[in-house]
């Protein structure tokens, strides 16, 4: 199973210049994982946890699209467009970073 996501380039820098498509290769069994397991494996939004990127993403609802961004520890993680409005609306302000 593969999951395509968008990566703002350069990663973690605002304003970003463009989006690159990144593809994650997942085990075939990932398609059948529960939402809880998917969340634990990083396949749900790392901020809100509400969007399961295997099932909930829709092209006509950009808030459900997966974006790959650096987390607080610097490792790349998936976040939804609802939690990162600056990725789907050029006039939106980046969300405050939790300290």
């Amino acid at each position: 199973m593969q999951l395509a996501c968008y990566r703002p380039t350069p990663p973690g820098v605002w304003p970003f210049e463009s989006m690159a498509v990144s593809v994650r290769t997942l085990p075939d069994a990932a398609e059948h994982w529960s939402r809880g397991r998917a969340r634990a494996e990083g396949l749900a939004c790392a901020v809100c946890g509400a969007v399961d990127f295997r099932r909930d993403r829709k092209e006509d609802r950009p808030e459900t699209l997966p974006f790959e961004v650096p987390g607080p520890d610097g490792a790349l993680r998936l976040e939804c467009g609802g939690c990162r409005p600056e990725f789907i609306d050029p006039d939106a302000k980046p969300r405050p970073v939790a300290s």
Side-chain angles (χ1 to χ4, degrees):
M1 178 180 176
Q2 292 187 322
L3 175 68
C5 48
Y6 300 99
R7 182 184 296 166
T9 57
V13 177
W14 175 261
F16 59 92
E17 295 171 5
S18 63
M19 289 282 179
V21 175
S22 174
V23 177
R24 289 189 178 192
T25 301
L26 309 167
D28 290 336
E31 185 177 356
H32 306 290
W33 288 344
S34 68
R35 283 186 179 264
R37 170 89 189 268
R39 189 176 301 111
E41 296 290 336
L43 298 179
C45 177
V47 177
C48 69
V51 180
D52 180 342
F53 296 120
R54 300 165 308 153
R55 299 188 177 116
D56 299 335
R57 68 185 186 282
K58 295 185 175 41
E59 292 296 324
D60 61 337
R61 292 185 52 218
E63 67 274 13
T64 65
L65 296 177
F67 295 93
E68 194 173 43
V69 296
D73 60 356
L76 291 175
R77 66 186 195 168
L78 296 176
E79 295 184 17
C80 70
C83 290
R84 297 303 290 255
E86 68 271 23
F87 296 159
I88 58 176
D89 178 1
D91 296 325
K93 299 272 192 248
R95 65 174 168 71
V97 176
S99 52

